[in-house]
Amino acid sequence: MNLQFTGSSDYVVSEGLMDTVNIAMALQKPLLVKGEPGTGKTMLAKAIADALGKELVIWNIKSTTKAQDGLYVYDVVQRLYDSQFGTSGVDDIAKYIKMGKLGEAFGSEEQVVLLIDEIDKADLEFPNDLLWELDQMEFYIPETKETIRAKSRPIVIITSNAEKELPDAFLRRCIFHYIEFPDAEQMEKIVNVHFDKIDETLLEQTMNAFYEVRDLPKLEKKPSTSELIDWITALTISGIDPEKIATELPFAGVLLKKDKDVDIAKESWDEKKAKAAKEANQ
């Protein structure tokens, strides 16, 4: 069956990204998605799974993660412990084999969506160590002399924050898409997904302030979509006058997460406030 991803009710997807997802599925290749934090890379996999009615298997990558972790783990310590206490079945090595996330995806009776999240957090050899498994959709367990093959080839989504370059051999095996940070029009659609009803003045003021903050020079961490959603929530709960956003930047600590960035934003807003007051007195 030729699957087609057409977006979902709670995920705003561009036409370019939608087309790339469908190309990756048609070619049965992993989709590598890059973009700055907050552009919806991780949520894309969930949206695909929801839209296609498939289970989502998530492999969260850390700096200490090894490729082997995603295949299987042989609990030799537990087997040794059981042998010392005379536990029955200790000769059955298969009892001590636990599948990792890649193993789970391969073993599923139905096709799943496999998310390998933030692959660039691992060491440089990590992507290369998965070349065979992602190409052939199988791996070998020497302890049991068994080859695990995917019963149904999973839809593989791989995300990267571009913290480090990925090996060329790995990149050749992927379909690539860079998610640009949403422009104001697309961001408004995203905000409307999260809020059933939002005051138009509040939306206009927060959107203007949000992109103005992102354009400030020397910010260490620009606010992302999730911070904007949290900020609008905080402003809504507080019942603050939306007109104050233009001159006071309330709850700046919800939008910005570094002391230096908060200071830069407040300094800019203080200058705006002083300028507005000067113009009002003229």
Side-chain angles (χ1 to χ4, degrees):
M1 182 172 63
N2 187 22
L3 296 175
Q4 287 288 312
F5 174 61
T6 57
S8 69
S9 59
D10 57 357
Y11 186 85
V12 177
V13 60
S14 68
E15 185 175 345
L17 177 55
M18 189 187 306
D19 289 343
T20 305
V21 169
N22 288 319
I23 289 171
M25 290 195 298
L27 296 178
Q28 296 188 325
K29 288 180 175 290
L31 172 61
L32 173 62
V33 184
K34 286 188 178 181
E36 68 175 88
T39 49
K41 300 185 298 298
T42 299
M43 293 304 297
L44 172 64
K46 183 179 184 304
I48 294 171
D50 289 346
L52 301 180
K54 297 187 178 297
E55 178 187 354
L56 175 62
V57 176
I58 303 175
W59 185 10
N60 290 305
I61 307 304
K62 302 177 182 178
S63 60
T64 57
T65 302
K66 302 298 181 185
Q68 179 65 39
D69 300 336
L71 306 182
Y72 73 95
V73 175
Y74 172 34
D75 195 346
V76 65
V77 174
Q78 184 63 50
R79 187 182 180 211
L80 178 61
Y81 178 85
D82 289 348
S83 66
Q84 290 175 338
F85 287 89
T87 303
S88 62
V90 73
D91 292 334
D92 183 8
I93 297 178
K95 285 176 51 178
Y96 303 95
I97 299 293
K98 181 180 179 182
M99 291 296 167
K101 294 300 183 179
L102 209 59
E104 287 181 23
F106 286 6
S108 175
E109 295 293 336
E110 303 289 337
Q111 185 183 48
V112 302
V113 176
L114 171 64
L115 169 63
I116 304 177
D117 201 23
E118 299 189 325
I119 194 171
D120 52 330
K121 281 188 175 180
D123 63 43
L124 291 173
E125 289 305 312
F126 179 85
N128 281 336
D129 290 342
L130 289 175
L131 293 181
W132 173 266
E133 289 77 12
L134 292 178
D135 252 356
Q136 303 300 317
M137 289 291 157
E138 66 177 40
F139 60 90
Y140 181 66
I141 302 178
E143 289 85 358
T144 60
K145 298 180 174 58
E146 179 185 12
T147 297
I148 304 298
R149 293 186 177 88
K151 296 179 180 180
S152 182
R153 191 179 186 95
I155 298 168
V156 181
I157 309 297
I158 303 170
T159 71
S160 169
N161 287 326
E163 292 181 3
K164 61 170 72 86
E165 288 298 321
L166 299 173
D168 288 346
F170 179 80
L171 294 174
R172 283 197 298 271
R173 289 163 169 82
C174 297
I175 303 298
F176 174 76
H177 187 90
Y178 185 88
I179 300 182
E180 299 286 351
F181 195 84
D183 59 19
E185 182 179 354
Q186 188 176 15
M187 184 63 80
E188 187 170 333
K189 293 178 182 177
I190 294 172
V191 169
N192 285 324
V193 166
H194 289 270
F195 297 93
D196 293 332
K197 190 174 182 180
I198 184 170
D199 180 81
E200 287 297 324
T201 303
L202 176 63
L203 177 60
E204 180 183 357
Q205 294 290 347
T206 53
M207 292 287 287
N208 290 341
F210 175 73
Y211 282 98
E212 188 173 342
V213 168
R214 281 185 56 87
D215 287 340
L216 290 173
K218 299 181 181 180
L219 284 187
E220 292 185 6
K221 182 187 179 305
K222 293 183 178 182
S224 66
T225 306
S226 60
E227 275 100 23
L228 174 60
I229 300 302
D230 289 344
W231 192 42
I232 292 174
T233 302
L235 291 166
T236 302
I237 292 172
S238 70
I240 197 165
D241 182 356
E243 299 296 342
K244 291 185 177 180
I245 297 171
T247 55
E248 296 184 10
L249 197 66
F251 307 117
V254 177
L255 197 60
L256 298 162
K257 302 302 172 65
K258 292 181 177 288
D259 294 344
K260 178 185 174 184
D261 292 348
V262 171
D263 291 340
I264 291 173
K266 285 188 173 180
E267 182 179 346
S268 175
W269 255 250
D270 286 344
E271 290 175 359
K272 285 174 56 180
K273 189 174 183 178
K275 182 180 179 181
K278 183 178 179 181
E279 291 175 352
N281 291 330
Q282 288 179 347

PDB file of all heavy atoms in Angstrom, residues 12 22 32 40 50 53 63 79 89 95 129 132 143 162 174 181 196 207 228 232 237 239 243 248 251 268 272 277:
ATOM      1  N   VAL A  12       1.365  21.584  12.168  1.00  0.00           N
ATOM      2  CA  VAL A  12       1.371  22.403  10.961  1.00  0.00           C
ATOM      3  C   VAL A  12       2.611  22.048  10.147  1.00  0.00           C
ATOM      4  O   VAL A  12       3.741  22.235  10.603  1.00  0.00           O
ATOM      5  CB  VAL A  12       1.374  23.902  11.303  1.00  0.00           C
ATOM      6  CG1 VAL A  12       1.444  24.737  10.030  1.00  0.00           C
ATOM      7  CG2 VAL A  12       0.136  24.273  12.113  1.00  0.00           C
ATOM      8  N   ASN A  22       6.951  12.011   2.177  1.00  0.00           N
ATOM      9  CA  ASN A  22       6.368  11.019   1.266  1.00  0.00           C
ATOM     10  C   ASN A  22       7.417  10.409   0.333  1.00  0.00           C
ATOM     11  O   ASN A  22       7.354   9.223   0.002  1.00  0.00           O
ATOM     12  CB  ASN A  22       5.227  11.641   0.470  1.00  0.00           C
ATOM     13  CG  ASN A  22       3.996  11.887   1.329  1.00  0.00           C
ATOM     14  OD1 ASN A  22       3.634  11.063   2.160  1.00  0.00           O
ATOM     15  ND2 ASN A  22       3.365  13.033   1.157  1.00  0.00           N
ATOM     16  N   LEU A  32      16.290  12.264   7.383  1.00  0.00           N
ATOM     17  CA  LEU A  32      17.091  13.036   8.320  1.00  0.00           C
ATOM     18  C   LEU A  32      16.577  14.467   8.335  1.00  0.00           C
ATOM     19  O   LEU A  32      16.576  15.144   7.302  1.00  0.00           O
ATOM     20  CB  LEU A  32      18.566  13.009   7.911  1.00  0.00           C
ATOM     21  CG  LEU A  32      19.511  13.911   8.703  1.00  0.00           C
ATOM     22  CD1 LEU A  32      19.555  13.509  10.180  1.00  0.00           C
ATOM     23  CD2 LEU A  32      20.912  13.882   8.097  1.00  0.00           C
ATOM     24  N   GLY A  40       9.988  21.752  15.540  1.00  0.00           N
ATOM     25  CA  GLY A  40       9.032  20.658  15.402  1.00  0.00           C
ATOM     26  C   GLY A  40       9.605  19.376  14.834  1.00  0.00           C
ATOM     27  O   GLY A  40       8.857  18.544  14.302  1.00  0.00           O
ATOM     28  N   ASP A  50       0.636   9.347  14.053  1.00  0.00           N
ATOM     29  CA  ASP A  50      -0.792   9.596  14.289  1.00  0.00           C
ATOM     30  C   ASP A  50      -1.579   9.600  12.982  1.00  0.00           C
ATOM     31  O   ASP A  50      -2.666   9.015  12.884  1.00  0.00           O
ATOM     32  CB  ASP A  50      -0.991  10.927  15.012  1.00  0.00           C
ATOM     33  CG  ASP A  50      -0.521  10.878  16.469  1.00  0.00           C
ATOM     34  OD1 ASP A  50      -0.302   9.760  16.979  1.00  0.00           O
ATOM     35  OD2 ASP A  50      -0.378  11.954  17.082  1.00  0.00           O
ATOM     36  N   GLY A  53      -1.755   6.116  11.565  1.00  0.00           N
ATOM     37  CA  GLY A  53      -2.283   5.099  12.470  1.00  0.00           C
ATOM     38  C   GLY A  53      -1.268   4.049  12.844  1.00  0.00           C
ATOM     39  O   GLY A  53      -1.602   2.856  12.933  1.00  0.00           O
ATOM     40  N   SER A  63      24.743  11.511  24.889  1.00  0.00           N
ATOM     41  CA  SER A  63      26.177  11.547  24.574  1.00  0.00           C
ATOM     42  C   SER A  63      26.843  10.201  24.824  1.00  0.00           C
ATOM     43  O   SER A  63      27.872   9.884  24.230  1.00  0.00           O
ATOM     44  CB  SER A  63      26.870  12.637  25.403  1.00  0.00           C
ATOM     45  OG  SER A  63      26.709  12.380  26.794  1.00  0.00           O
ATOM     46  N   ARG A  79      22.531 -13.384  34.210  1.00  0.00           N
ATOM     47  CA  ARG A  79      22.697 -14.816  33.945  1.00  0.00           C
ATOM     48  C   ARG A  79      23.688 -15.436  34.935  1.00  0.00           C
ATOM     49  O   ARG A  79      23.467 -16.551  35.432  1.00  0.00           O
ATOM     50  CB  ARG A  79      23.183 -15.026  32.508  1.00  0.00           C
ATOM     51  CG  ARG A  79      23.200 -16.502  32.112  1.00  0.00           C
ATOM     52  CD  ARG A  79      23.726 -16.711  30.729  1.00  0.00           C
ATOM     53  NE  ARG A  79      23.715 -18.125  30.396  1.00  0.00           N
ATOM     54  CZ  ARG A  79      24.586 -18.707  29.596  1.00  0.00           C
ATOM     55  NH1 ARG A  79      25.542 -17.981  29.021  1.00  0.00           N
ATOM     56  NH2 ARG A  79      24.508 -19.996  29.348  1.00  0.00           N
ATOM     57  N   GLY A  89      16.675 -22.766  33.779  1.00  0.00           N
ATOM     58  CA  GLY A  89      16.647 -22.113  32.481  1.00  0.00           C
ATOM     59  C   GLY A  89      17.828 -21.214  32.210  1.00  0.00           C
ATOM     60  O   GLY A  89      17.806 -20.453  31.244  1.00  0.00           O
ATOM     61  N   LYS A  95      16.776 -15.854  27.074  1.00  0.00           N
ATOM     62  CA  LYS A  95      16.078 -15.224  28.200  1.00  0.00           C
ATOM     63  C   LYS A  95      16.760 -13.947  28.651  1.00  0.00           C
ATOM     64  O   LYS A  95      16.141 -13.074  29.253  1.00  0.00           O
ATOM     65  CB  LYS A  95      16.026 -16.192  29.388  1.00  0.00           C
ATOM     66  CG  LYS A  95      15.027 -17.326  29.255  1.00  0.00           C
ATOM     67  CD  LYS A  95      15.120 -18.270  30.441  1.00  0.00           C
ATOM     68  CE  LYS A  95      15.043 -17.525  31.773  1.00  0.00           C
ATOM     69  NZ  LYS A  95      15.094 -18.455  32.921  1.00  0.00           N
ATOM     70  N   ASP A 129      28.093   3.261  12.715  1.00  0.00           N
ATOM     71  CA  ASP A 129      27.853   1.941  13.313  1.00  0.00           C
ATOM     72  C   ASP A 129      26.455   1.409  13.016  1.00  0.00           C
ATOM     73  O   ASP A 129      26.169   0.245  13.295  1.00  0.00           O
ATOM     74  CB  ASP A 129      28.068   2.003  14.836  1.00  0.00           C
ATOM     75  CG  ASP A 129      29.528   2.193  15.203  1.00  0.00           C
ATOM     76  OD1 ASP A 129      30.395   1.940  14.346  1.00  0.00           O
ATOM     77  OD2 ASP A 129      29.804   2.615  16.348  1.00  0.00           O
ATOM     78  N   TRP A 132      24.766  -0.643   8.338  1.00  0.00           N
ATOM     79  CA  TRP A 132      24.252  -1.933   7.885  1.00  0.00           C
ATOM     80  C   TRP A 132      22.812  -2.135   8.343  1.00  0.00           C
ATOM     81  O   TRP A 132      21.944  -2.534   7.561  1.00  0.00           O
ATOM     82  CB  TRP A 132      25.129  -3.065   8.415  1.00  0.00           C
ATOM     83  CG  TRP A 132      24.550  -4.429   8.132  1.00  0.00           C
ATOM     84  CD1 TRP A 132      23.757  -5.176   8.955  1.00  0.00           C
ATOM     85  CD2 TRP A 132      24.688  -5.179   6.919  1.00  0.00           C
ATOM     86  NE1 TRP A 132      23.389  -6.349   8.347  1.00  0.00           N
ATOM     87  CE2 TRP A 132      23.938  -6.383   7.086  1.00  0.00           C
ATOM     88  CE3 TRP A 132      25.346  -4.966   5.709  1.00  0.00           C
ATOM     89  CZ2 TRP A 132      23.861  -7.356   6.097  1.00  0.00           C
ATOM     90  CZ3 TRP A 132      25.262  -5.935   4.718  1.00  0.00           C
ATOM     91  CH2 TRP A 132      24.522  -7.114   4.924  1.00  0.00           C
ATOM     92  N   GLU A 143      25.410 -14.255  20.409  1.00  0.00           N
ATOM     93  CA  GLU A 143      25.166 -15.081  21.590  1.00  0.00           C
ATOM     94  C   GLU A 143      24.133 -16.180  21.311  1.00  0.00           C
ATOM     95  O   GLU A 143      24.205 -17.275  21.879  1.00  0.00           O
ATOM     96  CB  GLU A 143      24.687 -14.221  22.765  1.00  0.00           C
ATOM     97  CG  GLU A 143      25.757 -13.315  23.361  1.00  0.00           C
ATOM     98  CD  GLU A 143      25.889 -11.999  22.617  1.00  0.00           C
ATOM     99  OE1 GLU A 143      25.163 -11.806  21.598  1.00  0.00           O
ATOM    100  OE2 GLU A 143      26.698 -11.156  23.026  1.00  0.00           O
ATOM    101  N   ALA A 162      22.167  19.732  14.420  1.00  0.00           N
ATOM    102  CA  ALA A 162      23.350  20.210  13.703  1.00  0.00           C
ATOM    103  C   ALA A 162      24.462  20.629  14.649  1.00  0.00           C
ATOM    104  O   ALA A 162      25.215  21.559  14.370  1.00  0.00           O
ATOM    105  CB  ALA A 162      22.979  21.362  12.760  1.00  0.00           C
ATOM    106  N   CYS A 174      20.423   8.698   3.505  1.00  0.00           N
ATOM    107  CA  CYS A 174      19.238   9.393   4.042  1.00  0.00           C
ATOM    108  C   CYS A 174      18.637  10.347   3.018  1.00  0.00           C
ATOM    109  O   CYS A 174      19.324  10.851   2.128  1.00  0.00           O
ATOM    110  CB  CYS A 174      19.619  10.195   5.294  1.00  0.00           C
ATOM    111  SG  CYS A 174      20.208   9.205   6.684  1.00  0.00           S
ATOM    112  N   PHE A 181      12.951  27.949  10.458  1.00  0.00           N
ATOM    113  CA  PHE A 181      12.122  28.454  11.550  1.00  0.00           C
ATOM    114  C   PHE A 181      10.879  29.098  10.952  1.00  0.00           C
ATOM    115  O   PHE A 181      10.968  29.825   9.963  1.00  0.00           O
ATOM    116  CB  PHE A 181      12.888  29.466  12.402  1.00  0.00           C
ATOM    117  CG  PHE A 181      12.223  29.735  13.722  1.00  0.00           C
ATOM    118  CD1 PHE A 181      12.442  28.899  14.800  1.00  0.00           C
ATOM    119  CD2 PHE A 181      11.337  30.800  13.875  1.00  0.00           C
ATOM    120  CE1 PHE A 181      11.795  29.114  16.015  1.00  0.00           C
ATOM    121  CE2 PHE A 181      10.692  31.018  15.075  1.00  0.00           C
ATOM    122  CZ  PHE A 181      10.924  30.178  16.150  1.00  0.00           C
ATOM    123  N   ASP A 196      -7.584  27.177  21.569  1.00  0.00           N
ATOM    124  CA  ASP A 196      -8.912  27.152  20.941  1.00  0.00           C
ATOM    125  C   ASP A 196      -9.374  28.549  20.565  1.00  0.00           C
ATOM    126  O   ASP A 196      -9.949  28.769  19.504  1.00  0.00           O
ATOM    127  CB  ASP A 196      -9.930  26.503  21.893  1.00  0.00           C
ATOM    128  CG  ASP A 196      -9.650  25.033  22.112  1.00  0.00           C
ATOM    129  OD1 ASP A 196      -9.070  24.406  21.207  1.00  0.00           O
ATOM    130  OD2 ASP A 196     -10.013  24.509  23.183  1.00  0.00           O
ATOM    131  N   MET A 207       3.184  38.147  18.856  1.00  0.00           N
ATOM    132  CA  MET A 207       3.907  37.775  17.642  1.00  0.00           C
ATOM    133  C   MET A 207       4.920  38.846  17.264  1.00  0.00           C
ATOM    134  O   MET A 207       6.072  38.543  16.909  1.00  0.00           O
ATOM    135  CB  MET A 207       2.912  37.547  16.501  1.00  0.00           C
ATOM    136  CG  MET A 207       2.018  36.335  16.682  1.00  0.00           C
ATOM    137  SD  MET A 207       2.892  34.789  16.441  1.00  0.00           S
ATOM    138  CE  MET A 207       3.108  34.814  14.680  1.00  0.00           C
ATOM    139  N   LEU A 228       7.326  30.480  22.951  1.00  0.00           N
ATOM    140  CA  LEU A 228       6.231  31.382  22.562  1.00  0.00           C
ATOM    141  C   LEU A 228       4.900  30.872  23.098  1.00  0.00           C
ATOM    142  O   LEU A 228       4.102  31.649  23.644  1.00  0.00           O
ATOM    143  CB  LEU A 228       6.168  31.507  21.036  1.00  0.00           C
ATOM    144  CG  LEU A 228       4.977  32.301  20.489  1.00  0.00           C
ATOM    145  CD1 LEU A 228       4.979  33.735  21.007  1.00  0.00           C
ATOM    146  CD2 LEU A 228       4.966  32.270  18.963  1.00  0.00           C
ATOM    147  N   ILE A 232       2.583  32.939  25.761  1.00  0.00           N
ATOM    148  CA  ILE A 232       1.181  33.306  25.527  1.00  0.00           C
ATOM    149  C   ILE A 232       0.295  32.749  26.636  1.00  0.00           C
ATOM    150  O   ILE A 232      -0.628  33.423  27.117  1.00  0.00           O
ATOM    151  CB  ILE A 232       0.709  32.791  24.153  1.00  0.00           C
ATOM    152  CG1 ILE A 232       1.438  33.541  23.035  1.00  0.00           C
ATOM    153  CG2 ILE A 232      -0.802  32.947  23.999  1.00  0.00           C
ATOM    154  CD1 ILE A 232       1.140  33.012  21.639  1.00  0.00           C
ATOM    155  N   ILE A 237      -3.074  33.700  31.365  1.00  0.00           N
ATOM    156  CA  ILE A 237      -3.424  33.399  32.756  1.00  0.00           C
ATOM    157  C   ILE A 237      -3.382  34.655  33.618  1.00  0.00           C
ATOM    158  O   ILE A 237      -4.241  34.875  34.480  1.00  0.00           O
ATOM    159  CB  ILE A 237      -2.474  32.327  33.330  1.00  0.00           C
ATOM    160  CG1 ILE A 237      -2.713  30.984  32.642  1.00  0.00           C
ATOM    161  CG2 ILE A 237      -2.657  32.182  34.840  1.00  0.00           C
ATOM    162  CD1 ILE A 237      -1.701  29.926  33.008  1.00  0.00           C
ATOM    163  N   GLY A 239      -3.852  37.690  32.709  1.00  0.00           N
ATOM    164  CA  GLY A 239      -4.836  38.700  32.325  1.00  0.00           C
ATOM    165  C   GLY A 239      -4.226  40.060  32.052  1.00  0.00           C
ATOM    166  O   GLY A 239      -4.907  41.086  32.140  1.00  0.00           O
ATOM    167  N   GLU A 243      -1.507  45.544  25.439  1.00  0.00           N
ATOM    168  CA  GLU A 243      -0.807  46.746  24.979  1.00  0.00           C
ATOM    169  C   GLU A 243       0.506  46.956  25.730  1.00  0.00           C
ATOM    170  O   GLU A 243       1.418  47.622  25.237  1.00  0.00           O
ATOM    171  CB  GLU A 243      -1.711  47.979  25.148  1.00  0.00           C
ATOM    172  CG  GLU A 243      -3.012  47.924  24.343  1.00  0.00           C
ATOM    173  CD  GLU A 243      -2.766  47.918  22.838  1.00  0.00           C
ATOM    174  OE1 GLU A 243      -1.660  48.297  22.414  1.00  0.00           O
ATOM    175  OE2 GLU A 243      -3.683  47.521  22.097  1.00  0.00           O
ATOM    176  N   GLU A 248       6.800  46.825  27.859  1.00  0.00           N
ATOM    177  CA  GLU A 248       7.285  46.266  29.126  1.00  0.00           C
ATOM    178  C   GLU A 248       7.874  44.860  29.007  1.00  0.00           C
ATOM    179  O   GLU A 248       8.636  44.436  29.855  1.00  0.00           O
ATOM    180  CB  GLU A 248       6.133  46.250  30.147  1.00  0.00           C
ATOM    181  CG  GLU A 248       5.635  47.637  30.527  1.00  0.00           C
ATOM    182  CD  GLU A 248       4.567  47.587  31.609  1.00  0.00           C
ATOM    183  OE1 GLU A 248       4.355  46.488  32.185  1.00  0.00           O
ATOM    184  OE2 GLU A 248       3.930  48.631  31.861  1.00  0.00           O
ATOM    185  N   PHE A 251       6.996  38.969  31.844  1.00  0.00           N
ATOM    186  CA  PHE A 251       7.372  37.546  31.927  1.00  0.00           C
ATOM    187  C   PHE A 251       8.467  37.182  30.922  1.00  0.00           C
ATOM    188  O   PHE A 251       8.408  36.160  30.240  1.00  0.00           O
ATOM    189  CB  PHE A 251       6.155  36.638  31.715  1.00  0.00           C
ATOM    190  CG  PHE A 251       5.001  36.939  32.615  1.00  0.00           C
ATOM    191  CD1 PHE A 251       3.796  37.368  32.089  1.00  0.00           C
ATOM    192  CD2 PHE A 251       5.120  36.795  33.989  1.00  0.00           C
ATOM    193  CE1 PHE A 251       2.721  37.650  32.919  1.00  0.00           C
ATOM    194  CE2 PHE A 251       4.051  37.075  34.824  1.00  0.00           C
ATOM    195  CZ  PHE A 251       2.850  37.504  34.295  1.00  0.00           C
ATOM    196  N   SER A 268      16.532  46.704  25.416  1.00  0.00           N
ATOM    197  CA  SER A 268      15.905  47.127  24.164  1.00  0.00           C
ATOM    198  C   SER A 268      14.507  47.677  24.425  1.00  0.00           C
ATOM    199  O   SER A 268      14.119  48.708  23.859  1.00  0.00           O
ATOM    200  CB  SER A 268      15.836  45.937  23.201  1.00  0.00           C
ATOM    201  OG  SER A 268      15.139  46.282  22.026  1.00  0.00           O
ATOM    202  N   LYS A 272      12.810  51.470  23.920  1.00  0.00           N
ATOM    203  CA  LYS A 272      11.552  51.699  23.213  1.00  0.00           C
ATOM    204  C   LYS A 272      10.580  52.523  24.062  1.00  0.00           C
ATOM    205  O   LYS A 272       9.926  53.441  23.576  1.00  0.00           O
ATOM    206  CB  LYS A 272      10.896  50.361  22.861  1.00  0.00           C
ATOM    207  CG  LYS A 272      11.530  49.608  21.718  1.00  0.00           C
ATOM    208  CD  LYS A 272      10.903  48.235  21.559  1.00  0.00           C
ATOM    209  CE  LYS A 272       9.410  48.327  21.365  1.00  0.00           C
ATOM    210  NZ  LYS A 272       8.787  46.984  21.211  1.00  0.00           N
ATOM    211  N   ALA A 277       7.894  57.618  25.273  1.00  0.00           N
ATOM    212  CA  ALA A 277       7.557  58.673  26.227  1.00  0.00           C
ATOM    213  C   ALA A 277       8.035  60.039  25.717  1.00  0.00           C
ATOM    214  O   ALA A 277       7.333  61.044  25.868  1.00  0.00           O
ATOM    215  CB  ALA A 277       8.200  58.372  27.574  1.00  0.00           C
TER     216      ALA A 277
END
